[in-house]
Amino acid sequence: MNNDATPQEKTSIQVIERMVSLLDVLARHHDPVSLKQLAQETGLHPSTAHRILNDLVATRFVDRAEAGYYHLGMRLLELGNIVKSRLDVREVALEFMRTLHRQTNQTVNLSVRQGDEIVYIDRAYSERSGMQVVRAIGGRAPLHLTSTGKLFLSVDEPRAIRAYATRTGLAGHNKNSITDLNKLERELSEVRSKGIARDNEELELGVRCMAAGIYDDSGKLIAGLSISAPADRLQEDWLSNLTETARQISLSLGHQPKETA
């Protein structure tokens, strides 16, 4: 433990360490484990273990099988599946992204949705693209101001879109940002019909983007692949490369497109 940490930080770290130790013990046992055994294997006082377990139960990281017995909770499975899907799409997408970058010589982004924002999880670019990378990997941006974000909004129900607008206020970054719900709904309708989305200098002045969706084996939209370029250099010819690359990544993830009549 860091000796420079404040007493409050040390307490927080200690609590996290105790939580992890309890989860590790539960992970080693197939059947539910008693409070007494958990306390023995972790070296925690039973009252301390009980208090932490109550918090873990409340957050669904641990389930109480019966009085005094515990096992790992479904929240861990949910989070594990999220991590797996994101790691898989990054691993599958990287070589495709590099190829698309070589074809266009522009920045290629891989993004996923997290709540009301997109998160950039990977990128293929070079200094020769002529555009400074504004948001690093791990950076976030509002859904309605980004091409990938619009893809995710376009698959939401109308009620969910209105709820998003209420929560965020559709705050804009500049004069090109869409801050009107009716205008956003019209654009999302176009996204649905064309299967691609655009950001026309709505997030950053001087930068335009186009995005296509990446789908998993269940047909769910799990990520967006986008090309970012200086506003005066974005070429419509790149659209076919973009959509084909997104399609190939989706196929590699097990997606089976519906056959058209």
Side-chain angles (χ1 to χ4, degrees):
M1 188 180 297
N2 185 359
N3 291 329
D4 295 330
T6 66
Q8 185 177 2
E9 288 172 336
K10 289 181 179 179
T11 300
S12 297
I13 294 170
Q14 189 178 55
V15 170
I16 293 172
E17 290 174 341
R18 290 171 174 176
M19 289 173 62
V20 171
S21 68
L22 286 165
L23 292 173
D24 284 343
V25 171
L26 289 171
R28 291 199 297 266
H29 294 272
H30 178 73
D31 296 322
V33 186
S34 69
L35 173 61
K36 180 180 179 181
Q37 186 174 354
L38 284 166
Q40 288 175 343
E41 293 193 30
T42 59
L44 297 174
H45 191 279
S47 63
T48 301
H50 186 258
R51 183 175 66 253
I52 296 174
L53 285 165
N54 281 341
D55 290 339
L56 290 171
V57 169
T59 52
R60 297 173 51 236
F61 286 99
V62 170
D63 287 338
R64 189 179 287 108
E66 55 185 273
Y69 283 80
Y70 303 85
H71 60 81
L72 294 178
M74 293 300 293
R75 182 62 177 153
L76 288 168
L77 177 62
E78 293 168 2
L79 293 175
N81 284 335
I82 291 173
V83 172
K84 178 179 180 296
S85 68
R86 291 177 185 171
L87 288 175
D88 285 349
V89 72
R90 287 179 68 182
E91 292 169 0
V92 170
L94 186 56
E95 284 305 316
F96 290 104
M97 292 171 64
R98 288 171 175 165
T99 299
L100 182 59
H101 169 65
R102 288 193 293 268
Q103 293 170 344
T104 63
N105 198 32
Q106 300 301 321
T107 301
V108 178
N109 309 288
L110 183 68
S111 311
V112 297
R113 180 176 187 171
Q114 193 170 85
D116 291 339
E117 299 174 308
I118 64 162
V119 181
Y120 297 90
I121 63 171
D122 218 333
R123 175 173 285 124
Y125 75 102
S126 67
E127 298 300 329
R128 291 179 300 166
S129 67
M131 186 189 74
Q132 180 181 359
V133 175
V134 178
R135 280 170 170 73
I137 294 173
R140 297 168 176 268
L143 296 176
H144 67 289
L145 299 183
T146 59
S147 53
T148 292
K150 291 174 186 175
L151 287 174
F152 279 103
L153 282 174
S154 73
V155 299
D156 278 353
E157 296 292 333
R159 182 172 57 183
I161 296 171
R162 291 192 293 271
Y164 167 83
T166 300
R167 285 194 306 274
T168 64
L170 296 182
H173 282 200
N174 59 60
K175 61 184 178 64
N176 296 323
S177 301
I178 296 178
T179 57
D180 176 75
L181 178 57
N182 289 331
K183 184 176 181 181
L184 177 62
E185 288 176 329
R186 287 195 297 270
E187 177 141 350
L188 295 179
S189 177
E190 188 172 346
V191 171
R192 291 185 202 100
S193 65
K194 295 184 177 179
I196 58 102
R198 300 174 186 271
D199 159 18
N200 289 310
E201 301 184 73
E202 297 155 50
L203 182 64
E204 301 289 344
L205 289 175
V207 179
R208 295 171 60 205
C209 305
M210 53 175 64
I214 295 173
Y215 301 84
D216 66 9
D217 56 349
S218 68
K220 180 182 178 181
L221 176 67
I222 60 168
L225 186 72
S226 64
I227 297 174
S228 301
D232 59 350
R233 296 187 194 175
L234 192 71
Q235 299 178 22
E236 291 301 308
D237 292 347
W238 296 335
L239 194 56
S240 59
N241 300 85
L242 173 66
T243 55
E244 176 60 19
T245 302
R247 189 182 76 87
Q248 290 294 334
I249 296 172
S250 297
L251 290 174
S252 298
L253 291 169
H255 177 57
Q256 296 182 345
K258 295 180 181 178
E259 296 184 2
T260 56

